[in-house]
Amino acid sequence: MATATKGMFVDTTLCTGCKACQVACKQWNELPMDDETAVREHRAFTANSYDNTGHLSASNWRHVKFVEQFSEDRVDARWLMMSDSCKHCEQAGCLEVCPTGALYRTQHGSVDIHQDVCIGCRYCVGACPFGVIDYNQRTGRVNKCILCQDRLEDSQGTACAKACPTSSLTFGNVDDLKAMAAERVRALHARGQTDAYIYGWDLGNRGTITQGPNKGAAVADMEVVGGLNVFYLLLDKPEVYSLPSSPQLPQRNMNPSAGVALISAAVLGVTGLAAFRRRRMEAVAASSEVSS
Amino acid sequence: MITNYVIEPHWANWILTLEMFAAGLAAGIFFFIALANIAGDKEDREVAARLGFLPAPLMVVVAVLLIVDLGQPGRFLNLLFTSPIAAERPGPFMFNPNSPMNWGTWIIAVFGIMTVVPFFDGLLHTGRLRILPGLVETLAHNPVGMAVAALFALATGSYSGVLLNVSNQNVWADTYILGGLYVVFSALSGFAAAAIVSDRMRATRTAGAARSGLLATAALAGVLVALFVANLSALGQAEPLISSGTALVAPVFWIGVVGLAILYPIVTIAAGPRLAFSRVSLSQLAVVGTIVLVGVLAFRWSLLHSALAAVAH
Ligand code: SF4
Ligand code: SF4
Ligand code: SF4
């Protein structure tokens, strides 16, 4: 039975980069290390601030991003942190293209994977606009955050949100979370933090970036791919957080591409038949040459 | 920093390159067989019967390569039949209209079955095996049936291009020409194979049709490649085709695709002796066919690797 759509509101202004969410995710979902040997041999250092996984992957379903920004004279600095995961998109590119039904929408509105149905074709990997879902070399299938489906079935929230000590991650009904986010942006704007806006839904907020290389640029709430059930409060342009500025559904070119293929096939059919017909006409011409 | 595209390195490999090449070649050869049976004469049908030996084994190669790539043969059935685990999907047959891979699965399944007809026709014509000769003759030479089969062949040739278009990968995602490009290169490889087999059989008249088909298809491929490059340039995404660093996509694209598959047959055929009757240069056409096949392989490789080259850039 379908219930109210569940999701998470990620308020990046509250994130301290403690990575409790990353650890909780690993622990609850029993996710292995990407490269244990590299860690043992001290080769796993990303050299990118305190980032230790670099990106989301089949075994890192949550990733805390660190963005360090300095003014040219290096007097002013700010540190942006964001805990990232699958967005459980309202229109999920991964789910749209899956040819086996392995990816599916749960009764909670999240996007989950039937591991026993997945054939490891990786089509979803190239289709997700956010580069979230990943191929698992160990299993030959794909993995990503599944919004703790097992916990949700037991009426619990997600493990990451439960572990977050600052409420940067809040789990709940998406409608309630949207109201909470709108309230939070209003409060930040009132305090002079006019760069706060929402990535995922358009709740009507507009602002100006106050710090960093994009200082002075306008920002506004963005509804993307029909809305994100895991959505973000950001303080700078999406690209700064390695989020796409204009994520698109993969099917946008399906009909035009099929149309060009059809036209090309029609031209091929006509020219192919003409190739045989022309040859026949040449034969007639040659035989009349011989007889004359 | 590129943030509107994602990186899927697992698609850029030789197994998928060869799989797409083999499927495209099977489809292109079948297309030629259908044309020969619809519009050709006795000699064309003789050549078509010999060519008929190729599509079915090529489709078996495609299946083997897919199994090697995915490593889970048992699960292929999940592409055709709804798994009981995927209870959210309606009906016993798996069909997701938004997924070109699902369209492709059904198209390939039907086309794969169809390739059996020219195979048995080849056995019949060469006197090696006579299984239901009346039925095979009817199926293999019925113009309406062959026209339908040609449609499935062309769909097999094009679907992987549409599949790449329907993604969020660099180079592939924002153009809409790949479906057209893939079907044209598939037909090009079919005409190339027909040119080679015509040479082996000393079938001068059929070679004339293969020659005209090669010329027209290479010209069409040239138009589509020009549109593709112009389209990518307008989108600001042509970089991997111009200088792809260590990824080698640019040289393979310009030398292999533009040079060998398009310009070489156009220049050789247009400037060379006319391949008709007494003035035939069959072996020269066979060389053109072989070189075009190398060019088509370059096309498959460079297109699959272009998305990755864009990221490496
Ligand atoms: S973020 Fe990607 S993987 Fe997650 S639901 Fe959206 S499209 Fe699918
Ligand atoms: S890899 Fe699995 S989940 Fe992804 S599209 Fe293929 S079958 Fe579906
Ligand atoms: S647990 Fe909360 S504060 Fe800590 S990194 Fe995760 S989101 Fe940020």
Side-chain angles (χ1 to χ4, degrees), chain A residues 96-99 114 117-119 122-123 126-127 131 137 140-141 244-246 248 252-254 257 278-280, chain B residues 3-4 6 8 10-11 39 44 72 75 78 88 94 96-99 102 163 165-166 168 173-175 205:
Chain A
E96 294 284 343
V97 302
C98 177
H114 291 303
V117 180
C118 175
I119 56 166
R122 286 103 70 182
Y123 200 16
Q137 300 280 0
R141 300 159 207 172
S245 54
S246 170
Q248 307 266 338
R252 65 190 178 280
N253 276 335
M254 181 142 165
S257 183
R278 182 164 170 251
R279 196 270 326 270
R280 223 187 254 178
Chain B
T3 53
N4 278 333
V6 294
E8 210 312 61
H10 308 291
W11 281 4
D44 299 329
Q72 304 182 41
R75 288 206 193 152
N78 292 349
E88 306 75 23
M94 180 61 216
N96 174 0
N98 285 324
S99 177
N102 228 199
L163 186 152
N165 265 162
V166 180
N168 267 309
D174 286 334
T175 177
R205 295 170 47 70

Side-chain angles (χ1 to χ4, degrees), chain B residues 34-275:
Chain B
L35 289 175
N37 279 297
I38 292 170
D41 57 21
K42 193 166 174 293
E43 182 187 280
D44 299 329
R45 281 193 277 277
E46 286 298 324
V47 176
R50 288 294 172 95
L51 280 166
F53 283 123
L54 297 173
L58 280 168
M59 292 309 287
V60 172
V61 170
V62 168
V64 170
L65 287 171
L66 275 177
I67 289 169
V68 171
D69 182 45
L70 299 184
Q72 304 182 41
R75 288 206 193 152
F76 276 124
L77 291 177
N78 292 349
L79 289 161
L80 293 168
F81 305 103
T82 309
S83 162
I85 300 167
E88 306 75 23
R89 297 215 72 95
F93 296 108
M94 180 61 216
F95 182 61
N96 174 0
N98 285 324
S99 177
M101 194 175 281
N102 228 199
W103 280 95
T105 304
W106 283 103
I107 289 168
I108 279 199
V110 175
F111 175 67
I113 294 167
M114 284 177 163
T115 58
V116 174
V117 173
F119 189 80
F120 279 112
D121 189 42
L123 290 175
L124 198 63
H125 269 253
T126 50
R128 289 185 189 146
L129 189 66
R130 289 178 68 81
I131 298 175
L132 300 172
L135 180 66
V136 171
E137 278 281 340
T138 311
L139 289 175
H141 305 299
N142 179 295
V144 178
M146 272 293 130
V148 173
L151 281 180
F152 273 92
L154 292 174
T156 300
S158 66
Y159 95 86
S160 40
V162 179
L163 186 152
L164 297 184
N165 265 162
V166 180
S167 72
N168 267 309
Q169 299 279 298
N170 277 286
V171 181
W172 307 338
D174 286 334
T175 177
Y176 44 82
I177 296 170
L178 293 184
L181 267 179
Y182 270 64
V183 71
V184 168
F185 273 85
S186 171
L188 192 61
S189 61
F191 282 117
I196 297 167
V197 173
S198 305
D199 168 48
R200 301 279 304 169
M201 293 177 69
R202 312 306 298 166
T204 54
R205 295 170 47 70
T206 310
R211 164 198 173 274
S212 301
L214 258 182
L215 187 60
T217 314
L220 184 56
V223 171
L224 282 178
V225 163
L227 280 175
F228 176 58
V229 174
N231 189 197
L232 283 183
S233 304
L235 294 165
Q237 294 179 23
E239 197 64 33
L241 299 181
I242 293 164
S243 78
S244 47
T246 52
L248 282 181
V249 169
V252 173
F253 181 78
W254 290 104
I255 298 169
V257 182
V258 177
L260 301 183
I262 297 173
L263 293 179
Y264 180 74
I266 291 176
V267 170
T268 319
I269 292 173
R274 278 178 66 229
L275 282 166

